[in-house]
Amino acid sequence: MAAHRLRPGVNRLFAMGPELGSARRAYSAFQAFTEVLRLPSKQLTKLVFPLQELHGHFVPGSRPDLHLNIFHPSLEDIARAESFFTASARNRIEYLTSAVRLDHAPDLRHPEVCFIGRSNVGKSSLIKALFSLAPEVEVRVSKKPGHTKKINFYKVGKYFTLVDMPGYGYRAPEDFVDMVETYLKERKNLMRTFLLVDSVVGIQKADNIAIEMCEEFALPYVMVLTKIDKSSKGHLLKQVLQIQKFVDTKTQGCFPQLFPVSPKHCLRKIIAFF
């Protein structure tokens, strides 16, 4: 499937914005983001732009192959994007339905973005965090890997549908390949895939299968590094550089910039990428 264009309401979030310093006063009506804007600059950068914070640990003069500014939204862009996930009477955010096969999936007109990853990679926790401003939306998080067994669809206002795919690897559904491969290959309104990789262990064999599917079907996808708070800075830097090299040399459809996240490092930059 060829890369698709997102509708105008979402496309405008891809605009490059000003640097950190000029954005503190913008869109402060959203309480969650207002709290972030009050942080000191160093802590703000660490929270919202963790790759930039990591970059500061390299030896001066070295030039690691980290793509920091390909997608570099301003804080205004991020705050505006967060409003997409803020439930209101005019912006309904809700669970729609689940499906075990593509032919059971609803016929939806909005663009779709899907999240896929290895069992226990933190996918449900990430999606739950994305919906933190819509507390009536229930996303079950389990300590046991392989909790998600169906394709789950969530409406995000009038903008798009978020799709939660079953985890692959340990305790994956028996029909995982048929279920997920068919969706990725044939879903016409799938606009972008977020592929989650555990930053503690890096890209595993099971991840390669998902990457190969995205590449084979010519899907535009983004690599999201989870659990970045679980490693030392040195180990995390090593993993980030290895994964960045893999993306640069082994992929064609993957967005070249990595997106590191954790419960302690907010998801607002990935929100803006929608």
Side-chain angles (χ1 to χ4, degrees):
M1 182 177 72
H4 294 276
R5 292 179 61 85
L6 293 180
R7 62 191 301 170
V10 181
N11 266 333
R12 70 174 183 269
L13 297 177
F14 284 75
M16 301 293 284
E19 298 300 322
L20 289 174
S22 65
R24 290 177 176 271
R25 62 188 178 276
Y27 300 98
S28 59
F30 302 109
Q31 182 178 0
F33 202 69
T34 300
E35 295 173 359
V36 174
L37 296 179
R38 292 176 180 148
L39 296 173
S41 295
K42 186 175 181 180
Q43 190 175 353
L44 180 69
T45 300
K46 181 177 181 180
L47 189 64
V48 183
F49 303 106
L51 270 184
Q52 290 186 10
E53 196 269 337
L54 280 176
H55 195 263
H57 292 271
F58 287 102
V59 176
S62 65
R63 299 187 62 181
D65 296 325
L66 286 179
H67 305 297
L68 301 177
N69 297 313
I70 297 174
F71 177 68
H72 186 59
S74 68
L75 295 183
E76 291 101 325
D77 293 327
I78 297 174
R80 189 183 302 115
E82 189 171 69
S83 71
F84 287 8
F85 285 86
T86 304
S88 68
R90 301 184 63 180
N91 189 52
R92 295 185 62 183
I93 300 174
E94 58 187 343
Y95 163 78
L96 292 176
T97 189
S98 298
V100 294
R101 296 198 310 268
L102 182 60
D103 56 1
H104 291 175
D107 185 13
L108 302 172
R109 63 182 180 88
H110 288 136
E112 291 182 1
V113 296
C114 82
F115 283 72
I116 186 172
R118 192 165 52 86
S119 298
N120 203 34
V121 75
K123 178 169 54 64
S124 295
S125 296
L126 187 152
I127 294 174
K128 185 178 180 67
L130 287 173
F131 288 134
S132 62
L133 298 179
E136 69 279 4
V137 178
E138 182 179 359
V139 180
R140 295 183 62 188
V141 177
S142 174
K143 294 182 180 180
K144 296 181 179 180
H147 174 75
T148 305
K149 299 295 185 182
K150 299 179 180 179
I151 306 174
N152 300 317
F153 295 82
Y154 299 88
K155 176 183 178 182
V156 183
K158 61 182 179 180
Y159 302 106
F160 56 87
T161 302
L162 188 150
V163 183
D164 179 13
M165 307 295 286
Y168 50 80
Y170 179 69
R171 293 189 66 193
E174 293 182 1
D175 54 351
F176 171 84
V177 174
D178 292 337
M179 183 190 309
V180 174
E181 183 175 2
T182 303
Y183 173 86
L184 294 177
K185 183 178 182 180
E186 300 182 9
R187 193 66 167 177
K188 300 301 182 184
N189 54 335
L190 175 60
M191 300 295 143
R192 194 172 303 279
T193 298
F194 290 88
L195 197 158
L196 277 58
V197 173
D198 187 335
S199 67
V200 177
V201 298
I203 296 173
Q204 303 292 293
K205 290 182 179 179
D207 296 314
N208 279 315
I209 296 174
I211 293 169
E212 289 170 3
M213 284 195 291
C214 290
E215 293 287 334
E216 180 182 352
F217 305 144
L219 300 176
Y221 65 104
V222 179
M223 204 165 291
V224 179
L225 308 186
T226 64
K227 305 181 183 180
I228 65 171
D229 59 326
K230 301 296 184 182
S231 298
S232 67
K233 279 289 191 298
H235 180 76
L236 179 59
L237 286 169
K238 179 181 178 181
Q239 291 286 11
V240 166
L241 288 176
Q242 288 179 346
I243 296 170
Q244 184 72 73
K245 182 178 180 180
F246 178 93
V247 169
D248 291 343
T249 61
K250 304 293 185 181
T251 71
Q252 293 182 338
C254 185
F255 189 75
Q257 185 169 324
L258 304 175
F259 284 74
V261 298
S262 81
K264 296 181 181 179
H265 293 75
C266 76
L267 310 174
R268 290 173 175 85
K269 190 168 184 178
I270 195 175
I271 286 175
F273 200 78
F274 284 88

